Amino acid sequence: MGSIGWETERKRISSEGRVTSKTCRAERQRLLLYKCAFRKLSAAASVPPKPFSSIPGLKSFPIIGPLHNFLPFIGEIGPKGNIFDLLDTLRVKYGPIVKMNGAFARGPMVVLFEPEDYEQVYRAEDLTSLRPGFAVLTYYREQQKSTFEGMNGTITAQGKEWRDFRMKVNPALLKPKLVKLYGPALDEIAVEMTQRLSRIKNDEEYLKWNFDTEMTKFSLESIALVALGTRLGCLQDSIPADHPAKKMMDSTKVIFEMSYKLEILPSPWRYISTPSYKKITNAYDSHWKISTNYIKHAQKALQERGHDIPDEDKSVIEKLLAIDEKVAVVMANEMLFAGIDTVAFVTTNLLYHLAINPKVQDKLRAEIRSDPESGSKYFRACLKEALRFYHVVPANLRRTSKPHVVRGYEIPEGVDVIAPNEYLSRMEKYYPRPNEFIPERWIADKSDPLYYGNAHPMVTLPFGFGLRSCLGRRIAQLEMEIFVTRFINELKVSWDGPPLKVVNKLTNTIKKPYYFKFEDAK
Ligand code: HEM
């Protein structure tokens, strides 16, 4: 039992342990049993934890870590096509806690398959969370000292530095008034995007190979509106090569492709400037230049307009600029970094599930048309269900800043503790009929066996956990709701091909081709 569970149980048992003369015999027996259990638990607690090295897991060698386990034929695990199969093999073979030593100078990792266990660690680490994973961006920012002036933003900062920055920007990005501020302009984008898809819907060959580009245009146009305070102009048939929107789209693509090569695959970029490292650096430079230009424009426009508007009506940029110009640029950069492929992936994932579940799609359309409020409620249920199937980041991660004891094993400082949320979200024990797309489970009442609340609340964590959870979640949900609602009202979507293939790189991505078909909705 984790320390939080243990502590709660200990308090409950000791407060119930006061046996009075009024207590009936059965109740007394129950309390005695509790006392016994408490003594056993206390005894267990005094047993010293087992060493980290004894956690079950893959054998490993110096330098290559556990990589030999994934070799065909001779490896203990063999080559696994995706992270899902790998996690399944590890859980079945080793149980609820599995250790993997890092390869090529990466630190050790522990996968915890029980939500209570990672909840214990994540809660204890929440205030100054350490979340590694963007070593290249961190290094790049360190190198660009003159530009960044030592400011790290939320993605690469850790510990106290991260918390201080995050507390500054939270009010601007997580404010509840975002709908009022951005609703109308995001709706314009949604209308244009829907019209665009309607116009190109018969160009099947183009859509088969370029649907991702279309979704990127939508997500970039939307996030730029918030991050840079402007329309970029992405929703055109062809964008000139020197247009900032084109540069932004191209550099985003490079950043994700190169991050996978540099962060996940073995690479000597720390020692020599590899071609992939040069590419990513150019892409980061390009993002930075474009963001800075737009923020300067926004700043000028705001100065001309004056600042005498109520605080609640101020845009995200205005709020960020009020903190500091550098904060505004770093944050705009992070929004553009984190808010493009994520939203494009989730929107595609949702459209796919609506396409292969026509009854759900019809119900959503009917709800949207009959009553915006119930349409919105059902949309959110559909979105949650799509995110249950595919998180953008299939597993969450925290690096320990202090030792923990989990399941009787010691986990020292500096270990990456992995919560395999997407994998758990498709387990029958948490969600009945887990491989079916059933949005109703998110709105069912408690008596319904499908009721989502029967699962531990930390099983499905598409936006991460606690204070460090996604800073753009409200914006993302708003963008997707406005667009998908417009889209479903106007167009009917179906899928004419083999199942969608999701492959995991740094994040989940979709393997081409796309087999969407669109027609006008009656
Ligand atoms: C559906 C779309 C999105 C999903 C599923 C998603 C998911 C996530 C996840 C899982 C994390 C890690 C949280 C953790 O470690 O606990 C994260 C962090 C973050 N996301 Fe998102 N995200 C999405 C869209 C966005 C958008 C649109 C923005 C931009 C406004 C954004 C900005 C960020 C930032 C800045 C962080 C770092 C937060 C921090 O470390 O303090 N995300 N996101």
Side-chain angles (χ1 to χ4, degrees), residues 307-361:
H307 287 279
D308 54 343
I309 55 166
D311 205 45
E312 60 183 50
D313 291 341
K314 285 191 176 146
S315 66
V316 168
I317 293 220
E318 261 171 301
K319 291 211 155 206
L320 293 172
L321 280 168
I323 305 170
D324 175 323
E325 188 187 323
K326 204 104 239 163
V327 169
V329 184
V330 169
M331 211 44 249
N333 232 250
E334 299 217 329
M335 286 193 255
L336 292 163
F337 179 73
I340 301 176
D341 283 31
T342 46
V343 169
F345 172 83
V346 177
T347 311
T348 310
N349 161 20
L350 175 57
L351 290 181
Y352 169 73
H353 279 102
L354 293 174
I356 61 167
N357 292 280
K359 281 191 185 141
V360 175
Q361 186 183 156

Side-chain angles (χ1 to χ4, degrees), residues 108-232:
M109 290 178 264
V110 165
V111 187
L112 297 177
F113 286 95
E114 291 298 330
E116 292 79 5
D117 292 344
Y118 57 77
E119 175 178 23
Q120 172 200 332
V121 177
Y122 282 22
R123 284 202 192 285
E125 296 282 347
D126 200 25
L127 270 180
T128 46
S129 306
L130 305 178
R131 190 197 50 227
F134 296 97
V136 183
L137 182 58
T138 312
Y139 182 75
Y140 167 79
R141 284 181 172 177
E142 275 164 14
Q143 299 305 302
Q144 305 293 317
K145 275 201 180 73
S146 56
T147 324
F148 286 83
E149 290 168 13
M151 195 176 277
N152 252 313
T154 58
I155 292 180
T156 54
Q158 306 293 352
K160 187 177 175 312
E161 187 196 0
W162 160 76
R163 199 183 56 200
D164 290 349
F165 190 92
R166 176 85 197 222
M167 291 306 129
K168 274 190 214 161
V169 297
N170 264 355
L173 280 118
L174 293 172
K175 55 197 265 171
K177 291 269 165 122
L178 285 170
V179 186
K180 189 178 152 203
L181 275 175
Y182 292 103
L186 285 174
D187 193 44
E188 269 175 32
I189 295 176
V191 169
E192 280 175 38
M193 189 67 215
T194 306
Q195 283 169 350
R196 175 166 172 75
L197 286 174
S198 181
R199 217 169 40 244
I200 59 176
K201 66 179 183 297
N202 297 326
D203 194 347
E204 289 181 4
E205 208 42 37
Y206 171 79
L207 285 171
K208 200 170 174 183
W209 300 102
N210 296 291
F211 190 72
D212 53 338
T213 310
E214 292 303 313
M215 284 296 100
T216 306
K217 286 180 179 176
F218 151 67
S219 62
L220 173 55
E221 190 73 16
S222 305
I223 197 62
L225 180 78
V226 180
L228 307 173
T230 187
R231 287 286 306 266
L232 273 186

Side-chain angles (χ1 to χ4, degrees), residues 212-213 215-221 223 248-259 287 334-349 391-393 476 479-480 505-510 514:
D212 53 338
T213 310
M215 284 296 100
T216 306
K217 286 180 179 176
F218 151 67
S219 62
L220 173 55
E221 190 73 16
I223 197 62
M248 203 62 126
M249 273 177 14
D250 290 347
S251 53
T252 303
K253 210 162 166 236
V254 170
I255 289 172
F256 276 90
E257 277 172 15
M258 294 309 120
S259 294
H287 254 225
E334 299 217 329
M335 286 193 255
L336 292 163
F337 179 73
I340 301 176
D341 283 31
T342 46
V343 169
F345 172 83
V346 177
T347 311
T348 310
N349 161 20
H391 287 36
V392 169
V393 189
E479 288 172 17
M480 292 187 288
K505 293 202 169 170
L506 191 59
T507 56
N508 275 336
T509 48
I510 294 166
Y514 298 87

Side-chain angles (χ1 to χ4, degrees), residues 91 95-96 113-117 388 407 423-435 441 449 451-456 459:
R91 188 185 62 84
F113 286 95
E114 291 298 330
E116 292 79 5
D117 292 344
R388 181 183 70 79
R407 292 196 167 259
Y423 169 76
L424 298 180
S425 297
R426 272 187 269 159
M427 281 177 92
E428 179 82 45
K429 79 171 182 180
Y430 298 118
Y431 298 103
R433 296 157 57 197
N435 296 318
R441 65 174 95 242
Y451 173 58
Y452 76 94
N454 293 332
H456 186 287
V459 169

